[in-house]
Amino acid sequence: MDTIFALASAQGKAGVSVIRISGPLALETSNQICDHPLPAKGRGLRVIQDAQGDPLDEALVLSFAAPASFTGENIVEFQVHGSTAVVSAVLDALSARPELRIAEPGEFTRRALENGKLDLAQVEGLADLIDAETEAQRKQAQVILAGGLGQLAERWRTDLIRAASLIEVTIDFADEDVPVDVTPEVVELLSGVENDLRRETSGVQIAERIREGFEVAIIGAPNVGKSTLLNALAGREAAITSEYAGTTRDVIEVRMDLAGLPVTLLDTAGLRETEDHVEGIGIALARKRADQADLRVFLAEPGEILDMEMQPGDIRLVPKADKREDQAGAISGKTGQGLDQLVEHVSTVLKTRSTQVGIATRARHRDMMENALTSLTEAQVVLRRGSEFYDIAAEDMRSAIRSLEMLVGRVGVENLLDEIFSSFCLGK
């Protein structure tokens, strides 16, 4: 196994930068560039030197002995002063050593996976934690990183192995009298796992939205103040506003943190009949994105017939409250009237939906759990046919077990790893 190194903190000027080395020669190499030896595990203040013995920096050095480290290998981390010159000099000194090589993207985490320190779901949780922008995203990623999904999958797997074992014992003694009918226990085990899987798969869509962001579309006729409202909510001039209808022809997106939830606001083209080809494309796109959005805010006059059907949770408001005598249910992006109430309403709706979230967060998780569900459903159908079909039921159970093992990366995910780890930085 190669010994690898990389900058583990962000590029650029900082108070402290962290350079990580992992592999069998991590401690030996570190001793050769420090002014005196390091403990096998522990910390110390050392002067880092180049090949000629000239000092490069004084650093706090942490050493971790395998297997009690992030990667499961020997690790040394240098906490150096975070100037570009210092970091570059230390990296150059490490690059000059033939026993070391620069790490590939995500290689430290990949080694943690290969050495059993993390399962694949935890790796994905780590990636989500690094990308987290809101409190909800942070909390969700922490649950996955802590092994929540892996623990669930292991419990399901244990129950299915027990159920399959009971059935296989019945098969093995098919020509003899088995003293106990195992079918009730098998059915109970399969039903318990099936119920858990259904609950988790139903929550994946909401979990994906927390990870990627909810979409809230602002919809209405041309020139009702959609772009002004978007700018007011965003706190900046994100969209062009004018008194001319049809100014917005594309969907303008603004990402923001709304009460701890990631939300993308969509300013859509005004809905109307038009002979302008380009505006027509924008209106068609607006309808499509609005249909796909999690929530829609309609700006419409009282009694106005909407061009789109409202869905549960959607909000209807009267536009341009600053120009009205009757301001009931009205909002103004220009003066800010009604903005706080709108934000509170949207937050409440999305928070309510977020309570339905499961632990699984990705389409891959949902696919594996749905595969397991399909196998369990087939197993229960076969069980009802009688003992002569138990061998088929046992194979269905084994198929469900394989799906759960793929969920946490034990088997059959080699083709996914390069794609997953390519999103990591070199030092992670």
Side-chain angles (χ1 to χ4, degrees):
M1 180 68 73
D2 294 341
T3 301
I4 58 175
F5 72 94
L7 177 66
S9 52
Q11 295 278 355
K13 185 178 178 180
V16 175
S17 293
V18 178
I19 296 171
R20 174 183 288 167
I21 307 174
S22 180
L25 300 179
L27 186 62
E28 178 183 337
T29 299
S30 299
N31 283 332
Q32 293 171 4
I33 66 170
C34 290
D35 58 342
H36 55 279
L38 297 166
K41 54 182 178 180
R43 63 186 182 275
L45 196 63
R46 300 290 187 272
V47 174
I48 305 173
Q49 304 170 331
D50 63 15
Q52 290 72 43
D54 295 327
L56 301 176
D57 191 30
E58 187 175 48
L60 176 63
V61 187
L62 308 177
S63 52
F64 306 85
S69 71
F70 174 70
T71 62
E73 305 171 334
N74 291 332
I75 283 184
V76 176
E77 291 186 351
F78 297 93
Q79 296 186 7
V80 301
H81 293 94
S83 75
T84 303
V86 168
V87 171
S88 178
V90 175
L91 290 176
D92 286 345
L94 294 175
S95 298
R97 306 199 67 85
E99 68 271 25
L100 300 181
R101 68 167 174 81
I102 190 75
E104 298 174 357
E107 189 169 3
F108 291 100
T109 306
R110 187 163 189 160
R111 291 189 176 195
L113 173 67
E114 292 170 347
N115 292 327
K117 306 298 288 187
L118 299 173
D119 62 37
L120 186 57
Q122 287 177 291
V123 168
E124 292 166 324
L126 178 57
D128 291 342
L129 184 61
I130 292 171
D131 291 337
E133 298 175 341
T134 69
E135 183 66 4
Q137 289 174 324
R138 181 194 66 79
K139 288 180 177 179
Q140 180 170 274
Q142 286 282 12
V143 171
I144 298 295
L145 180 57
L149 184 57
Q151 291 165 12
L152 264 182
E154 183 58 30
R155 193 186 78 203
W156 297 332
R157 179 176 173 274
T158 300
D159 286 349
L160 293 181
I161 289 175
R162 167 69 177 170
S165 298
L166 290 171
I167 289 296
E168 286 167 355
V169 166
T170 303
I171 296 170
D172 291 341
F173 291 92
D175 296 331
E176 304 176 24
D177 291 332
V178 180
V180 178
D181 182 9
V182 300
T183 306
E185 182 179 354
V186 170
V187 170
E188 182 180 357
L189 289 168
L190 297 186
S191 297
V193 175
E194 181 182 17
N195 292 336
D196 284 352
L197 284 170
R198 290 194 187 282
R199 183 176 61 252
E200 285 301 321
T201 52
S202 67
V204 171
Q205 184 176 3
I206 296 297
E208 282 187 282
R209 281 309 201 196
I210 292 176
R211 186 169 64 86
E212 298 175 358
F214 292 94
E215 288 192 349
V216 176
I218 304 174
I219 305 168
N223 208 24
V224 294
K226 298 186 298 299
S227 297
T228 302
L229 178 59
L230 175 82
N231 290 340
L233 290 169
R236 62 185 176 88
E237 295 294 319
I240 298 173
T241 61
S242 79
E243 70 274 20
Y244 300 106
T247 300
T248 302
R249 299 196 172 197
D250 199 357
V251 176
I252 297 172
E253 302 184 9
V254 175
R255 191 171 178 87
M256 61 187 297
D257 182 333
L258 201 63
L261 294 171
V263 174
T264 299
L265 295 175
L266 307 178
D267 177 20
T268 60
L271 302 182
R272 66 170 180 172
E273 296 297 327
T274 180
E275 295 182 0
D276 185 311
H277 177 67
V278 176
E279 186 183 357
I281 294 174
I283 292 172
L285 179 59
R287 291 182 183 278
K288 180 179 179 181
R289 290 297 299 274
D291 282 336
Q292 296 172 344
D294 301 284
L295 190 64
R296 284 150 289 276
V297 177
F298 290 89
L299 298 183
E301 297 291 335
E304 179 182 339
I305 298 176
L306 301 177
D307 283 357
M308 297 184 65
E309 184 178 350
M310 292 185 66
Q311 303 296 326
D314 286 351
I315 304 166
R316 177 170 177 160
L317 297 169
V318 178
K320 300 184 179 180
D322 53 293
K323 296 182 178 180
R324 297 178 180 275
E325 291 185 7
D326 181 4
Q327 298 186 350
I331 191 169
S332 171
K334 180 176 282 189
T335 65
Q337 179 180 331
L339 285 184
D340 290 344
Q341 292 87 341
L342 174 60
V343 169
E344 183 178 355
H345 191 156
V346 171
S347 301
T348 299
V349 171
L350 296 182
K351 280 185 175 179
T352 299
R353 294 182 184 179
S354 297
T355 59
Q356 305 166 23
V357 68
I359 292 180
T361 59
R362 294 175 178 248
R364 186 187 73 82
H365 301 164
R366 182 182 61 243
D367 291 344
M368 293 302 101
M369 291 191 297
E370 286 180 346
N371 289 345
L373 263 175
T374 299
S375 297
L376 289 184
T377 301
E378 293 174 354
Q380 292 180 80
V381 169
V382 171
L383 279 176
R384 288 193 288 269
R385 293 183 185 174
S387 57
E388 63 268 30
F389 296 98
Y390 278 5
D391 56 338
I392 300 175
E395 180 55 36
D396 286 331
M397 294 178 209
R398 286 191 289 269
S399 178
I401 292 169
R402 285 193 294 271
S403 294
L404 296 178
E405 290 176 336
M406 291 177 69
L407 174 63
V408 294
R410 288 189 179 181
V411 296
V413 293
E414 289 77 9
N415 58 326
L416 293 173
L417 296 184
D418 290 340
E419 179 181 349
I420 290 172
F421 289 113
S422 66
S423 65
F424 283 75
C425 62
L426 293 182
K428 200 62 183 176

